[in-house]
Amino acid sequence: MYTVTLWEFAALAAASILVGFSKTAVSGANTVSLAIFAAVLPARESTGVLLPLLIVGDVLAVGTYRRHAHWGTLLRLFPAVAVGVVVGTVFMLWAGDAEVRTSIGAILLLMAGVTLWRRRAAARAAAPEVPEVPAADGAGARLKAGSYGVLGGFTTMVANAGGPVMSLYLLSAGFRKLGFLGTSAWFFLIVNVAKVPFSVSLGLIDGRSLLLDALLALFVLPGAYIGKACVDRINQRLFERLVIAATVLGGLQLLLR
């Protein structure tokens, strides 16, 4: 098993709680988790340790929001996501720990910037009420799905950081809370399970990582429960500010390490 101190294990346990919380409440919290994992463990291997924990959270999220998924959106995204995953796998074939750490840090800062841009754009626009399931097709919709899908596939393969990309896409497509959570839950369960063979072939998932996952998975469950209990009560604006601040600090820590 990976050699970690008591404090490092406590940090990984807290990050695992955030994994569960992000899957049933606020997806942005997951960026904090991947920053913690990449800081405590070797950055490249941290992606393989985190992936099974994300799948545990995905299963819990699907169990909670499975009836609210919009499958037309998912089917439109998957081909482009597959391309992004393949590109990310090729990158991981040659990238060492330093390159992966730098990439994760840069992706975190990019996603924090994108999130801030989205919030400011939303604040400037007085958006009208939108339906639970957005309107589907059109050339523009397909182009947007393709571009977000490739970027989401790449970021989720390299850094398990596809959450902010997909959040931005689903919000820009007009999803409201339940449709957002249900579609996101099914999307990441399918994509993360599909990533497992790639991660195994890259040596990112092995017996040693799974032993650590067996311990940390115990902390994903209470995180998901807390998220489900808090999703209707949480002060979204304050929490997003905290998540963005923590994401920026985590990204800078990885870049300067």
Side-chain angles (χ1 to χ4, degrees):
M1 188 179 292
Y2 290 96
T3 301
V4 295
T5 66
L6 180 61
W7 288 110
E8 288 173 335
F9 183 81
L12 294 176
S16 300
I17 292 173
L18 278 177
V19 167
F21 184 85
S22 71
K23 294 297 183 179
T24 56
V26 182
S27 62
N30 196 43
T31 58
V32 180
S33 300
L34 66 94
I36 293 173
F37 269 76
V40 173
L41 302 172
R44 191 174 188 275
E45 285 80 358
S46 72
T47 62
V49 175
L50 187 55
L51 181 55
L53 301 177
L54 294 173
I55 292 173
V56 172
D58 293 328
V59 171
L60 296 172
V62 165
T64 303
Y65 302 115
R66 61 187 178 278
R67 292 177 295 176
H68 302 284
H70 183 224
W71 285 96
T73 296
L74 292 172
L75 294 174
R76 191 161 57 246
L77 281 169
F78 284 145
V81 172
V83 173
V85 168
V86 171
V87 174
T89 301
V90 172
F91 172 79
M92 294 292 281
L93 283 172
W94 65 265
D97 190 69
E99 290 80 10
V100 173
R101 184 171 61 247
T102 301
S103 298
I104 294 175
I107 288 170
L108 287 177
L109 294 178
L110 173 64
M111 293 301 99
V114 167
T115 302
L116 284 172
W117 172 81
R118 173 177 59 81
R119 290 181 62 199
R120 290 183 178 179
R124 287 196 299 267
E129 188 72 10
V130 293
E132 183 66 38
V133 176
D137 274 321
R142 289 192 294 271
L143 178 61
K144 182 165 71 171
S147 57
Y148 274 98
V150 172
L151 180 59
F154 178 81
T155 55
T156 193
M157 187 65 221
V158 173
N160 291 313
V165 178
M166 287 300 103
S167 294
L168 180 61
Y169 172 72
L170 293 176
L171 289 173
S172 68
F175 280 87
R176 295 168 65 187
K177 183 183 290 184
L178 289 179
F180 176 99
L181 291 171
T183 304
S184 179
W186 276 110
F187 174 85
F188 282 108
L189 176 60
I190 294 169
V191 170
N192 284 332
V193 169
K195 283 162 49 183
V196 170
F198 294 95
S199 295
V200 172
S201 66
L202 291 167
L204 302 177
I205 295 178
D206 54 22
R208 183 176 61 158
S209 69
L210 291 175
L211 281 174
L212 183 56
D213 285 325
L215 295 175
L216 294 176
L218 300 175
F219 297 92
V220 178
L221 302 175
Y225 177 81
I226 293 170
K228 183 179 178 181
C230 294
V231 68
D232 292 324
R233 301 184 180 92
I234 190 169
N235 184 323
Q236 186 79 9
R237 183 175 295 273
L238 173 61
F239 187 81
E240 283 191 5
R241 288 175 178 172
L242 294 174
V243 167
I244 291 170
T247 300
V248 170
L249 289 175
L252 290 174
Q253 190 271 342
L254 291 170
L255 288 175
L256 299 176
R257 185 176 173 184

